[in-house]
Structure formats: C-alpha cells, structure tokens
Amino acid sequence: MNLLQAFKMAFKSIAMKKTRSFLTMLGIIIGVASVVIMVSVLQGQNRKNMEYWEKMGDNKINVSCYSYMDSNDATAQKLYDYCLTLNDLILGITPNVEVGEQVTIRSESKTLKTNDWDSMQDSNGMIDWTKQYSIKLGSEYYGLCNNLTLGGGREVNYLEIEKTLPVCVLGYNVKDILFGYTDPIGESITLNGQPFQVVGWYNPIGMENYGEWDSVVVIPYSFNRALNKNQQITDYVVKGRDAQSTVEAMTKLKVFINGMFPTDVDGNKPFGDGNVSSNTSYVQEMENQNMMQTLVMGAIAGISLLVGGIGIMNIMLVTVTERTREIGIRKAIGAERASIITQFLIEAAVICSIGGLIGIGIGTVGTLIAGKMILQESSMLPSTFITVGAFLFSVVLGVIFGMYPAIKASGLQPVVALRAD
C-alpha cells in the first residue's frame, strides 16, 4: 500500500463515522484554539508593554530617595547638587511627583478635573485613560527626562522654580481640549482657582491606551508645598547621555545614596534609604516575566491537547478492534507490519490535522475578538509561528498517541485476527 492509498483510506474512514470523528477531534480543536488565543493575547499585551517602555525613552534612571531625618528640600538639594557633578554622564534630573489631591483645571468655559474616576468610565464601564488628567511637579528637564518633545513654547526654567512662579507646560490632550487650534502660549489657566501662565505644550506621545502621558499639566516642583501638602518628594528621573553613561551614572548614584544613608551595625538604615534602577532593567525583567507567562499559559492550554491526544488513542484502539478481520486479511495476503503501522498512524495524523486546522480557524476568530475586548486592537491576529507551531504540534500529537494502537494492530496474528467476529 502506498501513501496515497493510505490517505484515501484515512479520509474514507473519517467520512464514514462523521460524528465520532468530530467528537474525537474536539479535544484537539479546543486545545489548539486555546493555545492560539491565550498565547496571541499574551504576546499582544507584552508587545504593548514593550512599546510603552520604548516610548518612554532609553537611558532613563529612576531614583527613589527618602530621608527620615532631613527635610524634604534638604534631601532633594543634596541629590540635585550631586547630579550637577555628573554633568558629563547625565543630561538632567527632575522630580517624578504627581499632585494627589483632586485639582480643577479651568480655561474660560472649559473645565477638567484630575483623579476624576467617574468621568473616565465610558458607557461600558471601561476606563478611558486619555481622561486621566494629572498635575506633575517637574524641573526644567521634565520633558527631556520623560521623552516628551515640545510642540511650542518652552519648559519651565530654573528661576521660575526657585521663585515658585505660576507657569505651566500642557500635555497635548489638555492643550487640545482647553484651547483647540488656538496657540496657548501666553494664555492662562487656573488650578483650583490659582492662575498659571502657559509657557509651552508637548507634542502627542502617540501611544494608544497610554494617553495619560498626553493629559498632564507640568508645573514647577516648588509648588509641592502649596498643592501637594508639602509631601516628601521621593521619586526622581535622571536622563543619561548614552547607554554607557547611564550604567556608570547608576553605579555612582547607588554609591552616593548608600553614603548618604549608611547602614548601622545591625544592618539597618536609620537615616533613610533609596533605590536606583533603569528602564533597561525593567525591560529585561519584563522579558523574563513574559517568557515565564507564555510558558505557563502554553502549558495550561497544552493540557487540553493532552486530553485530546488521549481521545485519539482511545478511538484508534476502538478502530483496531473494529477492523481486526481487515487487518488479518491484509496480513494473510502478505502485508508487512510497517504497512499496517503507517496506515493507522496516517489516520490518526489526519484526524489531528483536521482538528488542528479547525482549531486554528476558531483561534484566529477568538484572537480578533479577545484583542478587541481586552487590548482594544481591532486587527490583532496570531503570528505565523504560533499557527504553524500549533498545527505541527497537533500532527505530532496524532502520531505519538496513534503509535500504540498502530503497533498493536500490526502485531496481531493473522489466524487470531481472522477468527474475530
């Protein structure tokens, strides 16, 4: 028997028992569809996270520094003064602080509110992050450190920070809502009734689902006392000149913070503590987490494929029992064991292949639906690697779980097989 005849017999056997064949395929269909949907959605989410960090810019150093003894201003000044000595390694430093209290932003008849969660929900209860308006306390390097580019005007300057002058820079969404096509430079807005002059605005950052970065109002960090109840500023962003400078600056900042807050004989830090990290370390950690999540999700979905494979083995054993006389006749007229094994393996592989193709189709539709509902992506499709891998895995599964029934069929003695009812 050649391979073409074996495939014809496999399709004929499947067609003769359509319902049983479909139920046998069902485990493969569910397993393949689960793998395709779960891994595709996970990859889509991971891709969005990676885009987020890329948009936030390279060479960013995140510094956390808080003191139990010194005042807020004293600790910040020490860090700023030290960063000035690293001007050959870094481009700038800014606090990374948000005003926690709700602030009303007004410009003539237009009004926005920060931390207004009710207005951020749409009719379906989904959060619209473009409406997450926030007041950021920053330095003259806020845009540089956070990878924001000016669309017009300028950043706040050192003198305005030192004298706590009421000036601000608007994110693109805030500028668009409050002023539309009008140039806002020189205009005024009010924050909780206090007037602030607009000195600049940022271009849109262009990140879907991360619109909050376009919905900021940046003011001098010296307003921390007036608008943020003088809470201690503990988080900062430092911008390195390049990758090598960033690594060197991180090392120096860690040494500086450890020197500012030394460890006592008991291993405690009684004066304060701090931490230094970078986007690069976050990205590496995220990649490792993504790999683990993909493996775990794939393993969970693979359980369905395992159950489907057991179903294949079960039905193929039933098929061997039903076709015992046929096997006996073929062996009696000279069929070799390899021919019998090939026939049953091809039948198992065909069943799994058809189930795999149906599962890929269902998985593709499911990925489109899940991408729209979970990630708000209208055209998310599984990658070629996932679909081809899922199909090949289903074929291999059919061969593996069809092996035992095929070997059992090939090992039947012709005399015994011909006596079977």
Side-chain angles (χ1 to χ4, degrees):
M1 177 186 290
N2 58 35
L3 290 178
L4 181 59
Q5 289 176 320
F7 276 103
K8 286 182 178 179
M9 289 185 66
F11 281 109
K12 183 178 178 181
S13 175
I14 293 170
M16 287 175 62
K17 297 181 175 63
K18 297 182 180 65
T19 302
R20 189 174 78 177
S21 298
F22 175 75
L23 292 175
T24 303
M25 296 175 191
L26 199 56
I28 302 297
I29 293 172
I30 294 172
V32 170
S34 299
V35 169
V36 171
I37 294 172
M38 294 170 72
V39 175
S40 296
V41 171
L42 187 60
Q43 286 185 342
Q45 181 62 57
N46 294 340
R47 185 174 62 252
K48 280 186 170 293
N49 290 337
M50 296 303 292
E51 289 174 357
Y52 171 82
W53 289 112
E54 289 173 2
K55 285 285 186 179
M56 290 299 95
D58 297 327
N59 308 325
K60 282 179 62 174
I61 304 172
N62 301 286
V63 179
S64 174
C65 181
Y66 49 93
S67 173
Y68 305 138
M69 309 295 290
D70 290 339
S71 67
N72 180 37
D73 294 340
T75 303
Q77 193 61 51
K78 288 179 182 178
L79 182 62
Y80 268 77
D81 290 343
Y82 181 71
C83 286
L84 288 176
T85 67
L86 302 179
N87 58 1
D88 57 328
L89 300 176
I90 66 175
L91 296 172
I93 177 174
T94 181
N96 185 28
V97 181
E98 180 177 330
V99 175
E101 299 294 323
Q102 187 175 81
V103 178
T104 301
I105 309 167
R106 280 200 177 93
S107 174
E108 296 182 351
S109 61
K110 304 290 181 62
T111 301
L112 303 173
K113 288 186 178 181
T114 67
N115 304 316
D116 189 3
W117 294 98
D118 291 336
S119 66
M120 290 172 60
Q121 295 185 3
D122 60 19
S123 57
N124 297 320
M126 301 294 290
I127 297 295
D128 183 357
W129 294 108
T130 62
K131 295 180 180 178
Q132 187 189 11
Y133 306 107
S134 57
I135 308 298
K136 301 287 189 179
L137 304 173
S139 73
E140 64 269 35
Y141 300 110
Y142 185 87
L144 174 66
C145 292
N146 290 285
N147 208 39
L148 298 170
T149 59
L150 286 168
R154 60 174 176 82
E155 299 276 0
V156 300
N157 60 42
Y158 178 78
L159 183 63
E160 290 164 341
I161 296 170
E162 186 177 33
K163 294 184 175 297
T164 317
L165 299 180
V167 295
C168 64
V169 182
L170 306 181
Y172 184 81
N173 286 346
V174 178
K175 173 257 181 189
D176 188 50
I177 293 172
L178 296 183
F179 296 98
Y181 295 104
T182 304
D183 185 2
I185 307 302
E187 300 293 333
S188 291
I189 65 171
T190 62
L191 305 180
N192 284 347
Q194 181 177 355
F196 280 74
Q197 184 182 35
V198 179
V199 297
W201 58 276
Y202 296 118
N203 285 317
I205 197 169
M207 285 173 45
E208 188 179 359
N209 300 326
Y210 291 102
E212 67 269 22
W213 282 97
D214 292 325
S215 302
V216 300
V217 177
V218 181
I219 62 175
Y221 66 84
S222 48
F223 275 92
N224 183 57
R225 179 177 287 104
L227 291 179
N228 217 24
K229 297 182 179 179
N230 202 33
Q231 293 184 14
Q232 186 174 14
I233 297 177
T234 59
D235 296 317
Y236 305 85
V237 178
V238 178
K239 182 74 169 180
R241 290 188 176 275
D242 51 44
Q244 184 176 354
S245 298
T246 300
V247 174
E248 189 174 347
M250 285 181 64
T251 302
K252 291 181 177 294
L253 283 167
K254 288 177 181 178
V255 172
F256 172 75
I257 291 175
N258 288 334
M260 190 162 53
F261 305 123
T263 304
D264 62 17
V265 292
D266 297 322
N268 300 317
K269 291 193 173 184
F271 304 109
D273 203 354
N275 183 51
V276 179
S277 60
S278 70
N279 277 11
T280 303
S281 60
Y282 287 146
V283 169
Q284 184 63 48
E285 183 179 347
M286 187 176 295
E287 287 178 346
N288 294 335
Q289 290 178 351
N290 293 346
M291 179 62 69
M292 290 300 298
Q293 288 176 348
T294 302
L295 290 174
V296 170
M297 298 295 278
I300 292 172
I303 294 174
S304 298
L305 285 173
L306 180 62
V307 173
I310 295 172
I312 294 291
M313 180 184 290
N314 180 58
I315 206 66
M316 292 307 298
L317 287 171
V318 173
T319 301
V320 170
T321 303
E322 291 177 343
R323 296 164 63 181
T324 300
R325 285 182 61 83
E326 174 194 330
I327 295 168
I329 293 171
R330 290 186 60 195
K331 296 198 71 173
I333 61 177
E336 298 179 352
R337 288 195 66 178
S339 177
I340 303 295
I341 291 175
T342 300
Q343 177 188 345
F344 280 90
L345 286 182
I346 287 176
E347 188 169 329
V350 167
I351 291 174
C352 285
S353 299
I354 296 173
L357 290 173
I358 296 173
I360 288 171
I362 295 174
T364 301
V365 174
T367 299
L368 285 168
I369 295 172
K372 180 66 175 177
M373 294 179 63
I374 300 174
L375 304 178
Q376 285 76 53
E377 285 194 11
S378 57
S379 58
M380 190 176 78
L381 294 171
S383 67
T384 304
F385 176 79
I386 294 174
T387 53
V388 173
F391 175 74
L392 292 178
F393 186 75
S394 65
V395 175
V396 171
L397 200 68
V399 173
I400 292 174
F401 282 93
M403 185 66 72
Y404 172 70
I407 293 174
K408 182 178 180 181
S410 69
L412 291 173
Q413 295 298 321
V415 175
V416 177
L418 289 170
R419 287 177 180 172
D421 294 332

